[in-house]
Amino acid sequence: EVQLVESGGGLVKPGGSLRLSCAASGFTFSSYSMNWVRQAPGKGLEWVSSISSSSSYIYYADSVKGRFTISRDNAKNSLYLQMNSLRAEDTAVYYCARGEQPLDYWGQGTLVTVSS
Amino acid sequence: EIVLTQSPDFQSVTPKEKVTITCRASQSIGSSLHWYQQKPDQSPKLLIKYASQSISGVPSRFSGSGSGTDFTLTINSLEAEDAATYYCHQSSSLPQTFGQGTKVEIK
């Protein structure tokens, strides 16, 4: 069974940093592209970043470019999102999702709240 | 950026009724359009991929159609468990984008 479990969310002040993790199991992690997608409270889905299976290709939404860094460790079956210079508008549930197209499995999400 | 516009934003439907949700892309995306269901306090679940391809384990009452700029998700004979928000998603070009969502309520 495919499982994606996010962790690392919490309350952080504007300008602060946070690192999210996503632990994958039930599939060959190193064979799949992975993504981060976020959802602000009561709002729709927003794609944040993607990374290819070998980390050769990395993409970001303009809204996070230069502030967020996606990475992965295939030996540890883990995906990461380093978030710096956080803003109030980054407040959201962050999901990790498997796949290039489509996003076929999603984790349960981790809540990031940016507030003073 | 490709903008996806769903209609309607909200639909209140009685059980066994047919539901049709449309998704219009701001430019042609071929068949790179996928549909997800998100129930309250849950993560999204893939329903249909590449506009019309079914997903294992998804009830057959869910179907998709369309290509280019106009797409449709159809739920035949709605069941109470189908109360959710439905999103379309394009993977044709970066940035990947989602429609704003269509909330389906059961009367």
Side-chain angles (χ1 to χ4, degrees):
Chain A
E1 179 193 4
V2 172
Q3 285 202 332
L4 299 169
V5 180
E6 302 92 338
S7 61
L11 175 63
V12 61
K13 289 182 169 54
S17 298
L18 214 52
R19 189 193 196 210
L20 304 184
S21 299
C22 172
S25 61
F27 65 102
T28 305
F29 181 73
S30 59
S31 296
Y32 287 85
S33 294
M34 296 295 296
N35 307 266
W36 289 100
V37 178
R38 68 185 180 183
Q39 186 170 35
K43 302 297 184 182
L45 301 168
E46 180 189 13
W47 170 79
V48 172
S49 182
S50 296
I51 185 168
S52 63
S53 56
S54 61
S55 305
S56 298
Y57 301 97
I58 288 175
Y59 307 100
Y60 298 99
D62 285 346
S63 57
V64 307
K65 201 173 293 182
R67 301 188 298 122
F68 289 12
T69 302
I70 191 171
S71 62
R72 63 190 295 161
D73 186 335
N74 287 344
K76 294 183 177 180
N77 291 339
S78 293
L79 175 72
Y80 307 101
L81 186 67
Q82 177 67 44
M83 304 186 296
N84 298 330
S85 303
L86 283 162
R87 306 166 179 166
E89 54 265 34
D90 295 319
T91 293
V93 173
Y94 285 73
Y95 296 102
C96 70
R98 188 185 84 164
E100 185 165 347
Q101 46 176 325
L103 307 179
D104 60 357
Y105 286 93
W106 299 58
Q108 86 289 347
T110 187
L111 176 63
V112 172
T113 303
V114 184
S115 175
S116 54
Chain B
E1 172 176 320
I2 295 174
V3 176
L4 298 179
T5 304
Q6 292 181 228
S7 61
D9 290 332
F10 176 83
Q11 197 164 10
S12 184
V13 189
T14 56
K16 298 188 179 180
E17 208 174 324
K18 178 180 175 180
V19 173
T20 301
I21 299 169
T22 65
C23 177
R24 175 162 287 176
S26 58
Q27 62 190 77
S28 179
I29 57 172
S31 295
S32 298
L33 190 285
H34 320 291
W35 291 97
Y36 302 84
Q37 175 194 65
Q38 186 178 33
K39 296 182 179 180
D41 298 319
Q42 294 187 17
S43 56
K45 171 189 172 184
L46 179 64
L47 285 181
I48 299 287
K49 65 180 181 180
Y50 293 108
S52 62
Q53 294 182 19
S54 59
I55 302 297
S56 175
V58 174
S60 58
R61 62 183 179 274
F62 292 93
S63 64
S65 64
S67 66
T69 60
D70 293 301
F71 302 87
T72 300
L73 173 70
T74 300
I75 311 174
N76 282 301
S77 193
L78 187 82
E79 297 191 7
E81 66 183 27
D82 300 333
T85 299
Y86 294 84
Y87 294 93
C88 56
H89 160 232
Q90 70 82 19
S91 58
S92 174
S93 66
L94 292 172
Q96 299 184 47
T97 51
F98 292 86
Q100 81 275 17
T102 294
K103 185 173 182 178
V104 174
E105 174 193 87
I106 310 298
K107 282 182 182 174

